[in-house]
């Protein structure tokens, strides 16, 4: 168990580290995609600047023919090591050169009207839309705004060759757009994390169940040892007395000792039979001999037997009409009642009152015993389970009686439930159905 605990802790620590690393990676991915979105928006603003100048050129001496615009561009190259020329960031250089050229044309044209930033904002929004960027707010100004109202916006800025602002745009954050592009990796990471969490929970849940079963097995071994020691010791003592002090003339004494031995052996035989009957394979092959039986007759017989063997005052009231009949295996149905009544007697004070009622739909066995704690009720039908509160653990038994009851009830196609209140008593209810299993 220590090794399992160590491996579990190491595994959980590794998973936690992976989750943290994944979060860091996603944060870096978000920052990278945000930067990319701002670069795209910057190019959109630069095109909006150029298109705004072109639209204002119309109607001037430079824009008399609106069907085309003649443009000469010169791009400065960089000499490479082999004597040739390279043009790094060509598209960016073209855009920058075009922007410089159009601004030069703008400044040298006295008849060009002044810039209207409302038109530029409209063009800027259209350009952003072409790239799938749809911010809620779009603002364009000639220079950076000092107001704190713009702190929540993303700033998009284009400068001339000397670093002087040409235009500054402000757009509402595009976090939704960025997250939508990250949706695939976020969803798959979340799904993997949830699946791993479920598997870990499921593993720990079943480990807990197995530990409970192991504890129940240990309790069963302890209880069986305790149960076996008493009849074996009594039978051993009686046999030893006959061997050591055998008196052929005292026939009554000999009969008493032999009777004690037979009683203890019968008890051991019954205990072994009960244990064997709890085997799942035994239940799989067991066949019920069902027939129409009178519920009152069986209840009276079992009540009389329990009353005779009990070592304390027991009052058992059978309130069942004579005409109540059920389809059941009489032997196993009697054993079910015997187990329920025996438990009622065991788990009670110095005296106990039990009432058995039944009709064609259900049967109830109610007592005024010590009751069962609410948290124990869901487990009382489990194999080997025994309530260990207070002094109830000292009551004889090995946690198989109610398990047998539930199995037999289910084989009949019925159902059984328990309701209890501590120090007030317990009620078992068996609900019959029309189609009993054969």
């Amino acid at each position: 168990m220590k090794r399992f605990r160590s491996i579990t802790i190491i595994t959980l620590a590794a998973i936690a580290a992976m989750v943290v690393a994944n979060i860091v990676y996603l944060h870096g991915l978000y920052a990278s995609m945000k930067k990319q979105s701002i670069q795209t928006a910057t190019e959109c603003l630069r095109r909006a600047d150029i298109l705004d100048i072109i639209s204002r050129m119309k109607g001037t001496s430079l824009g008399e023919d609106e069907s085309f615009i003649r443009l000469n561009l010169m791009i400065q190259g960089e000499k490479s090591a082999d004597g040739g020329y390279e043009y790094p960031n060509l598209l960016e250089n073209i855009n920058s050169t075009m922007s410089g050229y159009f601004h030069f044309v703008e400044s040298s044209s006295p008849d060009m009207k002044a810039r209207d930033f409302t038109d530029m904002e409209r063009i800027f929004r259209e350009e952003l839309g072409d790239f799938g960027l749809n911010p809620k707010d779009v603002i364009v100004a000639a220079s950076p705004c000092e107001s704190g109202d713009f702190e929540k916006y993303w700033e998009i800025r284009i400068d001339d060759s000397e670093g002087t602002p040409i235009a500054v745009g402000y757009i509402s954050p595009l976090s939704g757009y960025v997250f939508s592009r990250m949706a695939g990796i976020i969803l798959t990471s979340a799904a993997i994390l949830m699946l791993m969490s479920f598997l870990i929970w499921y593993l720990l849940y079943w480990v807990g169940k197995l530990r409970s079963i192991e504890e129940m097995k240990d309790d069963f071994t302890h209880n069986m040892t305790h149960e076996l020691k008493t009849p074996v010791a009594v039978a051993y003592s009686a046999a030893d007395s006959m061997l050591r002090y055998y008196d052929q003339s005292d026939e009554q004494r000999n009969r008493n000792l032999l009777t004690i031995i037979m009683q203890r052996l019968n008890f051991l035989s019954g205990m072994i039979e009960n244990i064997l009957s709890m085997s799942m394979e035994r239940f799989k092959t067991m066949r019920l001999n069902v027939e129409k039986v009178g519920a009152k007759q069986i209840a009276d017989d079992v009540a009389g037997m329990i009353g005779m063997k009990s070592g304390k005052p027991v009052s058992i009231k059978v309130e069942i009409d004579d005409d109540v009949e059920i389809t059941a295996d009489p032997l196993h149905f009697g054993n079910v009642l015997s187990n329920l009544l025996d438990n009622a007697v065991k788990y009670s004070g110095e005296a106990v009152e039990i009432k058995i009622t039944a009709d064609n739909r259900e049967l109830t066995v109610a007592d005024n015993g010590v009751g069962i704690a609410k948290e124990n009720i869901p487990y009382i039908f489990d194999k080997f389970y025994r309530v260990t509160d207070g002094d109830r653990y000292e009551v004889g038994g090995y946690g198989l009686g109610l398990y047998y009851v539930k199995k037999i009830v289910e084989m009949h196609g019925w159902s059984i439930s328990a309701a209890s209140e501590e120090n007030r008593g317990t009620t078992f209810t068996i609900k019959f159905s029309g189609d009993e299993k054969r």
Side-chain angles (χ1 to χ4, degrees):
M1 186 57 67
K2 288 183 178 180
R3 183 180 180 184
F4 174 79
R5 187 182 295 110
S6 300
I7 293 175
T8 302
I9 292 173
I10 293 173
T11 303
L12 291 176
I15 292 174
M18 292 170 61
V19 170
V20 172
N22 197 45
I23 292 174
V24 172
Y25 168 75
L26 289 175
H27 181 270
L29 180 62
Y30 173 83
S32 175
M33 297 189 71
K34 176 182 176 181
K35 181 179 179 181
Q36 182 181 357
S37 298
I38 291 176
Q39 289 176 346
T40 301
T42 302
E43 294 304 315
C44 289
L45 182 59
R46 189 177 296 279
R47 280 195 295 274
D49 173 50
I50 295 173
L51 291 173
D52 175 67
I53 295 175
I54 292 174
S55 67
R56 288 188 289 118
M57 286 173 61
K58 297 176 182 179
T60 67
S61 57
L62 297 175
E64 292 178 354
D65 188 350
E66 299 179 358
S67 62
F68 68 92
I69 296 173
R70 183 174 297 166
L71 183 64
N72 294 320
L73 295 179
M74 290 183 294
I75 306 300
Q76 181 69 43
E78 296 179 0
K79 196 168 186 177
S80 61
D82 59 0
Y85 285 90
E86 295 179 348
Y87 298 88
N89 303 320
L90 182 60
L91 293 178
E92 183 178 346
N93 287 337
I94 291 175
N95 288 335
S96 178
T97 303
M98 286 177 61
S99 176
Y101 173 79
F102 278 106
H103 277 281
F104 171 76
V105 171
E106 179 186 24
S107 63
S108 61
S109 302
D111 54 345
M112 185 177 293
K113 63 180 180 179
R115 168 166 286 178
D116 183 353
F117 283 101
T118 302
D119 290 337
M120 189 168 176
E121 289 176 359
R122 175 183 56 79
I123 299 172
F124 183 33
R125 185 184 290 274
E126 291 174 355
E127 291 294 316
L128 289 171
D130 290 340
F131 284 86
L133 306 178
N134 297 289
K136 180 180 179 181
D137 298 323
V138 175
I139 302 169
V140 179
S143 59
C145 300
E146 302 296 335
S147 172
D149 296 337
F150 290 88
E151 291 181 354
K152 61 181 180 180
Y153 292 105
W154 288 2
E155 183 180 289
I156 313 298
R157 176 169 170 163
I158 55 174
D159 300 328
D160 59 19
S161 58
E162 297 179 356
T164 304
I166 296 174
V168 181
Y170 293 93
I171 60 175
S172 50
L174 297 170
S175 300
Y177 168 78
V178 175
F179 281 122
S180 67
R181 295 188 62 186
M182 296 172 58
I185 188 170
I186 292 176
L187 290 177
T188 53
S189 298
I192 292 173
L193 179 61
M194 292 176 63
L195 181 60
M196 291 177 64
S197 300
F198 171 75
L199 290 176
I200 292 171
W201 170 83
Y202 191 71
L203 174 63
L204 295 178
Y205 169 78
W206 277 107
V207 168
K209 292 280 286 185
L210 291 174
R211 289 191 63 184
S212 299
I213 292 173
E214 184 178 358
E215 291 173 359
M216 291 165 61
K217 181 198 69 175
D218 292 340
D219 289 342
F220 170 74
T221 303
H222 174 270
N223 295 334
M224 282 301 302
T225 302
H226 178 77
E227 291 289 323
L228 290 170
K229 284 172 63 177
T230 301
V232 169
V234 172
Y236 178 84
S237 298
D240 184 66
S241 296
M242 289 193 67
L243 288 173
R244 290 176 177 271
Y245 312 106
Y246 181 74
D247 186 354
Q248 188 173 2
S249 62
D250 193 350
E251 184 176 352
Q252 184 62 39
R253 173 178 175 273
N254 294 337
R255 283 182 174 274
N256 290 338
L257 291 174
L258 288 173
T259 299
I260 292 173
I261 294 173
M262 286 299 298
Q263 287 176 342
R264 296 302 94 189
L265 290 177
N266 284 333
F267 179 82
L268 289 172
S269 177
M271 184 182 296
I272 293 170
E273 181 63 26
N274 281 337
I275 295 172
L276 290 175
S277 68
M278 295 305 106
S279 168
M280 291 302 296
E281 293 300 322
R282 182 76 173 269
F283 273 117
K284 289 178 181 178
T285 58
M286 182 186 296
R287 304 288 293 179
L288 298 178
N289 298 314
V290 296
E291 58 186 71
K292 285 286 186 180
V293 295
K296 179 175 176 59
Q297 180 181 352
I298 294 180
D300 285 335
D301 292 344
V302 174
M305 180 184 64
I306 296 295
M308 284 192 301
K309 76 174 187 177
S310 174
K312 58 185 174 183
V314 176
S315 172
I316 304 177
K317 296 180 180 179
V318 179
E319 299 181 357
I320 304 176
D321 294 338
D322 293 332
D323 60 349
V324 175
E325 289 188 336
I326 59 173
T327 304
D329 183 309
L331 174 63
H332 289 289
F333 179 61
N335 289 341
V336 166
L337 287 178
S338 178
N339 273 284
L340 294 177
L341 295 179
D342 190 52
N343 279 348
V345 173
K346 284 181 180 180
Y347 298 100
S348 62
E350 296 180 355
V352 62
E353 293 182 1
I354 305 171
K355 183 167 71 172
I356 306 174
T357 60
D359 54 29
N360 292 323
R361 296 184 302 274
E362 65 180 31
L363 177 144
T364 61
V365 177
D367 64 63
N368 64 343
V370 296
I372 306 170
K374 186 175 181 180
E375 61 271 15
N376 291 323
I377 290 180
Y379 309 105
I380 59 175
F381 295 107
D382 290 350
K383 197 173 185 180
F384 305 134
Y385 184 82
R386 296 186 67 218
V387 178
T388 57
D389 295 343
D391 60 355
R392 272 171 272 187
Y393 188 79
E394 301 302 324
V395 177
Y398 30 87
L400 293 174
L402 289 180
Y403 174 78
Y404 168 81
V405 167
K406 184 175 178 63
K407 286 296 180 183
I408 294 299
V409 165
E410 290 177 345
M411 289 183 70
H412 278 84
W414 306 337
S415 64
I416 184 170
S417 60
S420 185
E421 186 175 348
E422 289 190 273
N423 302 317
R424 297 291 296 275
T426 303
T427 300
F428 287 92
T429 302
I430 298 175
K431 291 188 178 295
F432 307 129
S433 64
D435 297 322
E436 289 85 358
K437 295 179 181 179
R438 296 299 189 267

